[in-house]
Amino acid sequence: MSQDTIAMRYAKALFDLTVDHPDLGASELGARVESVEKELQSFQQTLQSSIELQSVFYNPAYGAEIRDAVLKSVADRLKLSTPVLRTLCLLSERRRIELLDRIAQAYRRIAELQAGTLRAVVTSAQPLSPSEYEAIRKELSASLPDRNVVLEKKLDPSLIAGVVTRLGDVIFDGSLKNQLQELKEELMA
């Protein structure tokens, strides 16, 4: 099983724990989901900035009891919620704390989908103008009227020219690099 698949399972479980409160209204649930996302980021930043913490969680010489004690101490200091602490304890116990970044990303995607937001990654060789980004966003939004499309902008000089747009698992490749590759394949056939 791939690490992304495993991370998605942890993220889904954490999301389910977060929203499993039928007595809360939509705005309260939204705030709760956002709070959990910030807690994950906070712990992740703390872990990345501390060589000692990395040593405890990544070095097999430290046992589960030490990892749990350190984790609970950090959780108290960061004021982490119960669902986040339980998830981190499970990751620590199974020695999968290195998946935290992927889990946080998967959690964000799940939260965005639940909120009706769809993230599209637009990759170009050169930065596009704001009006060009807006035209791409409008085109994608027109084909997905029930979703709010948010663009994530990336640069890749190897594309030569054109734009590659990734929307979930669907890729629209309008790059010159891709067109040249297709022409090469046609000529070779």
Side-chain angles (χ1 to χ4, degrees):
M1 192 175 327
S2 79
Q3 289 188 335
D4 286 334
T5 303
I6 295 168
M8 182 57 83
R9 287 184 179 180
Y10 280 101
K12 177 74 172 113
L14 177 57
F15 187 81
D16 290 346
L17 282 172
T18 304
V19 299
D20 187 28
H21 297 277
D23 55 324
L24 295 178
S27 64
E28 293 165 317
L29 282 176
R32 189 179 194 116
V33 167
E34 188 176 321
S35 174
V36 166
E37 190 173 342
K38 287 178 181 176
E39 289 177 33
L40 287 173
Q41 290 171 352
S42 176
F43 181 81
Q44 190 175 9
Q45 289 170 350
T46 302
L47 179 63
Q48 289 174 346
S49 66
S50 171
I51 294 171
E52 294 84 10
L53 277 180
Q54 291 174 26
S55 178
V56 169
F57 289 109
Y58 298 140
N59 186 341
Y62 292 98
E65 301 82 27
I66 293 173
R67 288 193 316 271
D68 282 348
V70 169
L71 183 56
K72 287 176 182 164
S73 171
V74 172
D76 286 343
R77 201 165 22 102
L78 296 176
K79 296 179 179 27
L80 300 181
S81 63
T82 303
V84 173
L85 178 58
R86 288 173 58 191
T87 301
L88 292 172
C89 285
L90 189 59
L91 289 171
S92 174
E93 175 186 317
R94 296 184 178 172
R95 293 212 163 273
R96 290 191 166 158
I97 205 86
E98 75 277 355
L99 294 177
L100 189 57
D101 183 47
R102 291 175 192 233
I103 292 168
Q105 290 173 11
Y107 184 88
R108 187 176 319 110
R109 284 193 306 270
I110 292 168
E112 286 175 347
L113 284 173
Q114 286 296 113
T117 300
L118 198 56
R119 185 168 299 275
V121 180
V122 177
T123 308
S124 59
Q126 300 290 323
L128 302 176
S129 70
S131 62
E132 290 170 317
Y133 283 121
E134 183 59 20
I136 292 170
R137 193 195 66 72
K138 281 184 180 178
E139 188 68 32
L140 292 171
S141 293
S143 63
L144 302 162
D146 58 336
R147 298 283 187 193
N148 175 32
V149 178
V150 175
L151 298 184
E152 183 178 320
K153 304 162 190 167
K154 291 189 176 182
L155 295 178
D156 181 1
S158 73
L159 295 179
I160 305 170
V163 175
V164 176
T165 304
R166 180 184 186 110
L167 188 62
D169 293 335
V170 179
I171 298 174
F172 304 98
D173 193 341
S175 67
L176 182 57
K177 178 181 177 181
N178 183 55
Q179 292 173 15
L180 291 172
Q181 181 62 34
E182 288 175 357
L183 180 62
K184 178 182 174 183
E185 289 172 5
E186 284 180 32
L187 291 173
M188 299 295 281

